[in-house]
Amino acid sequence: MKNCERLKYEELLEAFKKLLKENSLKFTSQREAILRTLYENEGHYTPENIYLLVKKRYPDMNIGITTVYRTLNLLEENEIVSSISFGISGKKFELSSKEHHDHLICNCCGKIIEFNDEKIEQLQEKMAKLHNFKLTSHMMQLYGICSDCQK
Amino acid sequence: MKNCERLKYEELLEAFKKLLKENSLKFTSQREAILRTLYENEGHYTPENIYLLVKKRYPDMNIGITTVYRTLNLLEENEIVSSISFGISGKKFELSSKEHHDHLICNCCGKIIEFNDEKIEQLQEKMAKLHNFKLTSHMMQLYGICSDCQK
DNA sequence: CTGTGTGCAAACATTTTGCAAGCAG
DNA sequence: CTGCTTGCAAAATGTTTGCACACAG
């Protein structure tokens, strides 16, 4: 796990606590467990995935999948995680990093590669302007066969 | 409805019949009703939407939502329709046109505008190449507030 | 006739909601 | 203490499957 460029966990946690306080919400062990699990497992997960990861990481914690859904929605509303719905079954969530990125998805093994291209971003802005849209967000997915699966 | 640039319905129908014949499948009134409904209603619809449109257009036809799902899957496998899953609840389908396009989606009223930008397409190809992906398809969605909703 | 297609009901899968008890502040 | 949170079960959605009958070829 590369730590150099990433937000430290403590900073993330503080941001979360601040957010909770501002909204008169409570800091609970379940909420922290979900946040930490997302932090420790970089990648894209379904609520079910995350639920299982939390149970594995905290075998003694009593947690229900309902809480995972509720917490993910809370985190998404506050842009701490972001979600993306790929073709099949449900949304997948990941921790938002500071940097926006797009996804390259292998049809064969499901691998997801993230990338970012400044020129594409600029063109997207241009297209929005052309249609008088005030852009709030965007996502792009490229589907294909990754180099491993081409062999 | 602009007919000038579009495939005539008869051509679409012939292509569908050909496809059915090649796979030893049968041409039924329900299948035609769904195809025609998609043709007559440009736009992006959920299976439920399409089911209701078909019932409205063919009040005397006995049709179940199951058939709509099965037919949409059949049409999608054969690339006569394509689907896209937006954030909320389920896939939406539309007739495939010859031209690939991307989507500009209003967060407020749900309006969908289609567009295409050759430069973006080229950059997408470039990104795929950079990661040794063999590209099969891609989709891009820009979310924002449309000009009407900004008022 | 044969085998595919259909509608219905039931099964599934995923996500949300109602509720009584638990716990953070 | 107060009221937000939780887990559970049930409900609500969205989609697929099993089956007996219908019908296209």
Side-chain angles (χ1 to χ4, degrees):
Chain A
M1 187 151 317
K2 47 185 152 89
N3 267 309
C4 39
E5 302 148 357
R6 292 182 74 202
L7 205 59
K8 283 213 201 66
Y9 179 65
E10 287 69 30
E11 295 176 53
L12 182 63
L13 186 59
E14 283 315 307
F16 186 39
K17 283 185 178 173
K18 180 158 167 277
L19 161 94
L20 291 173
K21 188 162 290 177
E22 282 169 356
N23 293 84
S24 321
L25 302 177
K26 294 178 179 178
F27 181 70
T28 65
S29 58
Q30 287 89 341
R31 281 178 176 160
E32 170 165 22
I34 292 167
L35 187 71
R36 188 185 289 269
T37 299
L38 285 167
Y39 183 83
E40 291 180 352
N41 295 274
E42 262 190 295
H44 303 75
Y45 302 100
T46 63
E48 173 88 16
N49 292 155
I50 295 165
Y51 171 66
L52 294 173
L53 285 169
V54 171
K55 298 241 283 192
K56 194 166 154 196
R57 172 75 162 76
Y58 300 87
D60 299 328
M61 175 173 287
N62 191 13
I63 187 170
I65 195 156
T66 313
T67 299
V68 175
Y69 275 100
R70 286 190 279 225
T71 302
L72 287 173
N73 288 336
L74 172 66
L75 291 170
E76 188 176 20
E77 279 164 21
N78 290 282
E79 298 176 338
I80 292 180
V81 306
S82 57
S83 75
I84 167 172
S85 36
F86 298 117
I88 320 219
S89 68
K91 288 204 252 186
K92 289 190 175 178
F93 293 82
E94 66 177 332
L95 263 191
S96 303
S97 51
K98 293 119 295 184
E99 321 243 330
H100 164 78
H101 57 260
D102 296 304
H103 297 97
L104 201 46
I105 300 151
C106 180
N107 286 325
C108 179
C109 66
K111 189 190 305 167
I112 299 176
I113 294 177
E114 300 173 351
F115 68 91
N116 184 272
D117 188 275
E118 190 51 43
K119 276 190 205 143
I120 293 180
E121 304 288 311
Q122 287 169 8
L123 288 169
Q124 289 173 331
E125 282 290 344
K126 197 178 130 197
M127 289 311 299
K129 206 163 279 174
L130 193 64
H131 292 278
N132 296 310
F133 259 62
K134 182 176 231 165
L135 216 52
T136 55
S137 68
H138 63 270
M139 44 202 297
M140 181 166 84
Q141 300 92 248
L142 307 184
Y143 294 90
I145 313 291
C146 75
S147 51
D148 290 346
C149 291
Q150 283 174 44
K151 288 169 191 165
Chain B
M1 186 151 316
K2 45 185 154 90
N3 267 308
C4 36
E5 303 146 357
R6 293 182 71 202
L7 205 60
K8 281 211 203 70
Y9 179 65
E10 286 69 31
E11 294 176 55
L12 181 63
L13 186 59
E14 283 315 307
F16 185 39
K17 283 186 178 173
K18 179 159 167 277
L19 160 94
L20 291 172
K21 188 163 290 177
E22 282 169 357
N23 293 83
S24 321
L25 301 175
K26 294 179 178 176
F27 181 71
T28 65
S29 58
Q30 287 88 343
R31 283 177 175 162
E32 172 166 21
I34 292 168
L35 187 72
R36 188 185 290 268
T37 300
L38 285 166
Y39 183 84
E40 292 179 351
N41 296 275
E42 263 189 297
H44 302 75
Y45 301 100
T46 62
E48 173 89 15
N49 292 156
I50 295 165
Y51 171 66
L52 294 174
L53 285 170
V54 171
K55 297 242 283 191
K56 195 165 152 197
R57 170 75 162 77
Y58 299 87
D60 299 329
M61 175 174 289
N62 193 12
I63 188 170
I65 195 157
T66 314
T67 298
V68 175
Y69 275 99
R70 286 192 277 227
T71 302
L72 287 173
N73 287 336
L74 173 65
L75 290 170
E76 186 175 22
E77 279 163 22
N78 290 281
E79 300 176 335
I80 292 179
V81 306
S82 56
S83 75
I84 169 171
S85 36
F86 299 116
I88 323 220
S89 68
K91 288 205 252 187
K92 289 189 176 179
F93 293 83
E94 65 176 333
L95 263 191
S96 304
S97 51
K98 294 117 295 185
E99 321 242 331
H100 165 79
H101 57 260
D102 296 303
H103 298 97
L104 200 47
I105 302 152
C106 179
N107 286 324
C108 178
C109 67
K111 189 191 304 169
I112 298 175
I113 292 178
E114 299 173 352
F115 69 91
N116 184 272
D117 187 276
E118 190 51 42
K119 276 190 205 146
I120 293 180
E121 304 288 311
Q122 287 168 8
L123 288 169
Q124 287 173 332
E125 282 291 344
K126 196 178 132 197
M127 291 311 300
K129 204 163 280 173
L130 193 64
H131 293 278
N132 296 310
F133 260 62
K134 183 175 230 166
L135 217 53
T136 54
S137 68
H138 63 269
M139 43 201 296
M140 182 168 83
Q141 300 93 247
L142 309 184
Y143 294 90
I145 313 291
C146 75
S147 52
D148 289 346
C149 292
Q150 282 174 44
K151 289 169 191 168

